[in-house]
């Protein structure tokens, strides 16, 4: 938890709420003045004239929007306190635990497959999706005692996996779901009081329920043994607290979409301002959450006319929440450098790793032959001749790009797993893929017709900028693995916010961005494939001299230093190599693939124990998986395609959750 040292000097929760309310009051007054003045605004609220257009706009749009912002912000602040109390985790919130993304995916699925459910009640659809998401997070982290880092990592992988599923739905149903993009990004725009009438009574009931649970939930501040000695069923109490938080989140998401940042920020701000008891945190977090969201929305309304595209409020709050999360990370009390933990899986060294590598190489060659020569066409399945260049010219770049990206992600994942002594680490978790993706999306939108070479440069700069952020956040702690992974969570949150803003704007380039985010190799030509293949081979060769470090560093800090390794320098060099590998792969197959997790872990299970063997085995497995994913994606729904990165992420995400559950 946050220690007393981080308390804001001389500040109390009441003062913090009052201070942060001042911008809201100013923006409230300025907003009413721009609409005709305070008197007209008050008259429009109390006794609107249906013959005055200004009063109609105030009554049906401005006042409901302010009311829904206050209600949604207060509800998310309350849900954040409940989650943090139940899980004893200052990083728990509706967004970091996957509740909001689960609710959003459930609503998207219902829109496509069962729109009648939305008539029955959107909040119940959202509640079901959010409950399933948080239940999955709970299941993945239960065996580790709901440790803060494990819970946040489980929330991250659930978010990524649900994001991959959402991307798949968007890719094939962009026309139907385009309007849902705006709502899903957190739009507070209202055209009446229906949203307020729906949300207000539910939040009132939830607030009363939270107040009734106040004393039982306060017991969770004790350790489990002390709480059980009081005769309290912790399982039922946690279920009640989390169930209430999920219901609040589902209700908010069903009305306004995904709103990030508030459920994380409000509880931590009031805690740092001195709110120590659960009663105080529930009260002040609810008030502060309402103030923060209303202030953000009023500010956005004030300046939204300066940009040509629509900017949803929820995406803005998410962008603000990422820096807050980065600021909180160095102030968290985590376990420091610790020896590798047993994964629960017995790993034996293969007696003949060279023979095993040869078998994987032959399997890779066979997969590449199938990828080039076997496929479906207008007349069904066929095997083409190797001399049929008209077809080979189209298939070769895709197979080459898939293999090259699999090679780079596998090596990056191997380095990261051995560096952190954590078999569940991956480039996606580190945040390098997200940072690279942010830079590329901004380049596509802001630059007129950027070339492939320019996009490569932009993506590399984005990856390096992410690396600098990682170094700045973790240098003092000596690059402790847990803090590195939490930094990746923050960067991924920022990536989600940027993506939501750009895709909600309705720009025609959004479809291209969605396809790229899904990891399609469709746009790769022969020249680009050869370039990517050459870069992958070069970076793979560069990684080989680091194998001595990778053999020693998993043994722990003391052992590594006793053998003459400068840990900070070694970790920095390895992180730089991971950044370059991940950036180059992300340029080809997007940021969603889990190959960086899957290939190294499978290689270790097969018996590739030493670092050099591990790198080679993971590289072969990574190439094999991506080539097969690309081929399956092209054939399984022919003539439609599922991008290779999306196929790999769906498989890899399931494997990640299985592996995290076994830790």
């Amino acid at each position: 938890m946050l220690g007393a040292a981080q308390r804001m000097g001389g500040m109390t929760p009441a003062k913090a709420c009052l201070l942060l309310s001042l911008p809201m009051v100013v923006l409230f007054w300025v907003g009413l003045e721009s609409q005709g003045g305070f008197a007209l605004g008050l008259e429009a609220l109390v006794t609107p004239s249906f013959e005055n257009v200004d009063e109609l706009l105030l009554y049906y749009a401005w006042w409901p929007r302010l009311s829904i912002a206050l209600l949604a912000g207060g509800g998310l602040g309350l849900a954040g306190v409940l989650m943090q109390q139940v899980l004893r985790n200052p990083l728990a919130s509706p967004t970091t635990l996957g509740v909001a993304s689960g609710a959003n995916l459930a609503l998207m699925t219902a829109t496509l497959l069962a729109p009648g459910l939305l008539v029955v009640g959107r909040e119940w659809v959202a509640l079901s999706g959010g409950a399933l998401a948080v239940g999955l997070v709970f299941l993945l982290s239960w065996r580790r005692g709901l440790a803060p880092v494990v819970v946040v990592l489980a929330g991250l992988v659930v978010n990524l996996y649900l994001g991959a599923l959402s991307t798949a739905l968007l890719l094939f149903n962009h026309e139907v779901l385009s309007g849902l993009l705006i709502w899903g990004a957190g739009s507070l725009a209202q055209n009446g009081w229906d949203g307020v009438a729906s949300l207000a009574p539910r939040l009132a009931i939830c607030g009363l329920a939270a107040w009734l649970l106040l004393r039982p939930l306060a017991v969770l501040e004790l350790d489990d043994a002390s709480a059980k000695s009081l005769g309290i069923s912790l399982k039922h109490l946690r279920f009640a607290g989390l169930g209430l938080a999920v219901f609040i989140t589902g209700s908010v998401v069903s009305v306004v979409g995904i709103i990030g940042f508030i459920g994380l920020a409000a509880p931590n701000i009031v805690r740092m301002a001195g709110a120590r008891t659960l009663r105080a945190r529930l009260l002040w977090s609810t008030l502060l959450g309402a103030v923060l969201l209303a202030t953000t929305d009023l500010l956005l309304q004030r300046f939204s006319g300066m940009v040509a595209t629509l900017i949803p409020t929820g995406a803005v709050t998410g962008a603000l929440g990422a820096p807050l999360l980065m600021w909180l990370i160095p102030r968290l009390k985590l376990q420091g450098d610790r020896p590798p933990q047993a994964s629960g899986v017995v790993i034996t060294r293969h007696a003949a790793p060279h023979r095993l590598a040869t078998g994987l190489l032959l399997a890779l060659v066979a997969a590449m032959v199938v990828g080039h020569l076997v496929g479906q066409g207008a007349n069904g399945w066929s095997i083409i001749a190797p001399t049929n260049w008209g077809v080979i010219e189209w298939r070769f770049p895709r197979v080459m790009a898939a293999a090259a990206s699999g090679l780079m992600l596998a090596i990056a994942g191997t380095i990261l797993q051995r560096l952190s002594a954590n078999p569940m680490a991956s480039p996606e978790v580190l945040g390098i893929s997200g940072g690279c993706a942010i830079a590329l999306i901004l380049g596509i939108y802001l630059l007129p017709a950027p070339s492939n070479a320019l996009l490569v440069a932009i993506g590399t700069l984005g990856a390096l900028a992410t690396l600098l952020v990682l170094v700045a956040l973790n240098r003092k702690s000596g690059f402790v693995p847990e803090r590195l992974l939490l930094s990746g969570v923050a960067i991924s949150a920022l990536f989600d916010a940027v993506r939501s803003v750009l895709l909600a704007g309705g720009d025609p380039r959004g479809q291209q961005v969605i396809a790229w985010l899904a990891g399609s190799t469709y746009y790769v030509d022969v020249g680009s494939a050869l370039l990517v293949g050459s870069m992958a081979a070069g970076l793979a060769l560069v990684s080989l001299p680091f194998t001595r470090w990778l053999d020693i560093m998993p043994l722990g800090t003391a052992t590594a230093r006793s053998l003459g390794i400068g840990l900070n320098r070694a970790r920095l060099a390895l992180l730089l190599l991971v950044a370059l590998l991940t950036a180059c792969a992300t340029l080809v197959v997007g940021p969603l693939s889990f190959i960086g997790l899957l290939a190294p872990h499978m290689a270790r299970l097969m018996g590739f124990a030493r670092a050099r063997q591990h790198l080679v085995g993971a590289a072969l497995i990574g190439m094999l998986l991506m080539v097969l994913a690309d081929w399956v994606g092209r054939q399984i729904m022919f003539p439609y395609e599922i991008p290779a990165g999306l196929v790999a992420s769906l498989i890899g995400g399931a494997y990640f959750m299985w592996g995290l559950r076994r830790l």
Side-chain angles (χ1 to χ4, degrees), residues 69-145:
L70 291 169
L71 287 171
L76 292 173
L78 176 60
V81 172
L82 291 172
M83 288 183 174
Q84 292 179 15
Q85 180 72 10
V86 170
L87 299 176
R88 300 174 184 150
N89 183 350
L91 293 180
S93 76
T95 46
T96 56
L97 295 187
V99 181
S101 57
N104 184 52
L105 178 61
L107 287 166
M108 291 176 65
T109 305
T111 301
L112 293 172
L113 302 179
L117 292 177
L118 301 179
V119 178
V120 175
R122 296 167 63 96
E123 67 277 8
W124 299 110
V125 177
L127 173 63
S128 301
L132 289 174
V134 77
L136 184 56
V137 172
F138 213 65
L139 178 66
L140 294 176
S141 53
W142 186 265
R143 289 184 61 180
R144 293 289 295 273

Side-chain angles (χ1 to χ4, degrees), residues 49 52 72 88 101 154 191 216 241 305 328 334 395 476 515 540 555 574 645:
S49 170
N52 189 320
R88 300 174 184 150
S101 57
N191 58 6
L328 286 174
L334 303 173
R395 293 178 178 175
K476 288 186 178 180
L555 300 178
L574 290 169

Side-chain angles (χ1 to χ4, degrees), residues 159-246:
N159 266 322
L160 287 172
Y161 196 75
L162 297 181
L165 292 174
S166 299
T167 301
L169 293 179
L170 282 172
L171 195 62
F172 293 105
N173 304 277
H174 189 261
E175 297 291 333
V176 178
L177 297 176
S178 57
L180 199 60
L181 283 174
I182 301 173
W183 171 86
S187 175
L188 298 183
Q190 302 291 303
N191 58 6
W193 292 91
D194 292 342
V196 176
S198 171
L199 191 57
R202 290 183 174 87
L203 292 183
I205 294 172
C206 290
L208 178 60
W211 200 256
L212 294 175
L213 286 173
L214 191 61
R215 294 185 64 182
L217 288 174
V219 177
L220 293 176
E221 296 177 3
L222 304 173
D223 59 83
D224 287 359
S226 300
K228 289 178 181 178
S229 67
L230 297 176
I232 294 176
S233 173
L234 292 181
K235 183 180 297 185
H236 291 90
L237 186 57
R238 283 170 173 156
F239 180 80
L242 276 179
L244 185 59
V246 170

Side-chain angles (χ1 to χ4, degrees), residues 138-514:
F138 213 65
L139 178 66
L140 294 176
S141 53
W142 186 265
R143 289 184 61 180
R144 293 289 295 273
L146 301 178
V149 174
V150 180
V151 170
V152 173
L153 287 179
L156 172 65
V157 70
V158 169
N159 266 322
L160 287 172
Y161 196 75
L162 297 181
L165 292 174
S166 299
T167 301
L169 293 179
L170 282 172
L171 195 62
F172 293 105
N173 304 277
H174 189 261
E175 297 291 333
V176 178
L177 297 176
S178 57
L180 199 60
L181 283 174
I182 301 173
W183 171 86
S187 175
L188 298 183
Q190 302 291 303
N191 58 6
W193 292 91
D194 292 342
V196 176
S198 171
L199 191 57
R202 290 183 174 87
L203 292 183
I205 294 172
C206 290
L208 178 60
W211 200 256
L212 294 175
L213 286 173
L214 191 61
R215 294 185 64 182
L217 288 174
V219 177
L220 293 176
E221 296 177 3
L222 304 173
D223 59 83
D224 287 359
S226 300
K228 289 178 181 178
S229 67
L230 297 176
I232 294 176
S233 173
L234 292 181
K235 183 180 297 185
H236 291 90
L237 186 57
R238 283 170 173 156
F239 180 80
L242 276 179
L244 185 59
V246 170
F247 181 79
I248 294 171
T249 305
S251 298
V252 172
V253 170
S254 68
V255 175
V256 298
I258 297 179
I259 304 288
F261 167 63
I262 304 300
L264 172 70
N268 279 295
I269 290 175
V270 299
R271 181 188 292 275
M272 288 186 289
R276 292 292 177 259
T277 66
L278 178 60
R279 183 189 302 270
R281 283 185 282 128
L282 282 173
L283 174 63
W284 294 113
S285 293
T286 302
L287 293 176
L288 185 58
V291 168
L292 289 175
L293 185 55
T295 303
T296 303
D297 190 55
L298 288 169
L299 186 65
L300 184 62
Q301 291 183 66
R302 182 66 182 166
F303 296 102
S304 60
M306 297 182 180
V307 294
T309 185
L310 174 66
I311 302 179
T313 306
V316 174
T317 59
L320 295 174
L324 173 76
L325 188 54
M326 294 179 189
W327 184 79
L328 286 174
I329 287 168
R331 292 161 175 78
L332 293 175
K333 291 183 179 180
L334 303 173
Q335 289 182 325
D337 183 69
R338 68 179 193 274
Q341 301 292 319
S343 64
V345 179
V346 178
I347 299 175
T348 58
R349 181 176 300 181
H350 197 276
H354 297 293
R355 187 182 306 165
L356 182 59
T358 302
L360 288 173
L361 179 60
L362 293 175
L364 173 62
V365 171
M368 296 183 75
V369 170
V370 170
H372 281 97
L373 304 182
V374 180
Q376 297 186 72
N379 299 318
W381 287 91
S382 63
I383 301 177
I384 66 168
T387 55
N388 189 346
W389 179 246
V391 177
I392 297 295
E393 184 181 16
W394 177 73
R395 293 178 178 175
F396 168 76
R398 306 189 62 170
V399 174
M400 175 63 73
S405 58
L407 170 65
M408 290 186 285
L409 287 172
I411 293 177
T414 302
I415 294 173
L416 187 56
Q417 289 183 16
R418 298 188 76 93
L419 172 65
S420 63
N422 181 356
M424 291 293 102
S426 74
E428 296 83 1
V429 176
L430 188 60
I432 301 297
S433 296
C436 179
I438 291 173
L440 283 170
I441 292 176
L442 292 176
I444 291 173
Y445 272 78
L446 300 179
L447 297 177
S451 64
N452 287 335
L454 183 58
L455 289 177
V456 169
I458 292 172
T460 303
L461 288 175
L464 291 177
T466 306
L467 176 65
L468 291 177
V469 172
L470 290 171
V471 171
L473 291 175
N474 296 276
R475 187 172 183 178
K476 288 186 178 180
S477 66
F479 301 99
V480 173
E482 288 87 348
R483 297 187 190 277
L484 278 173
L485 298 176
L486 291 177
S487 302
V489 174
I491 294 169
S492 298
L494 182 61
F495 161 63
D496 288 338
V498 172
R499 178 182 60 181
S500 296
V501 169
L502 295 177
L503 294 183
D507 194 296
R509 292 168 292 187
Q511 180 70 13
Q512 178 186 352
V513 171
I514 292 174

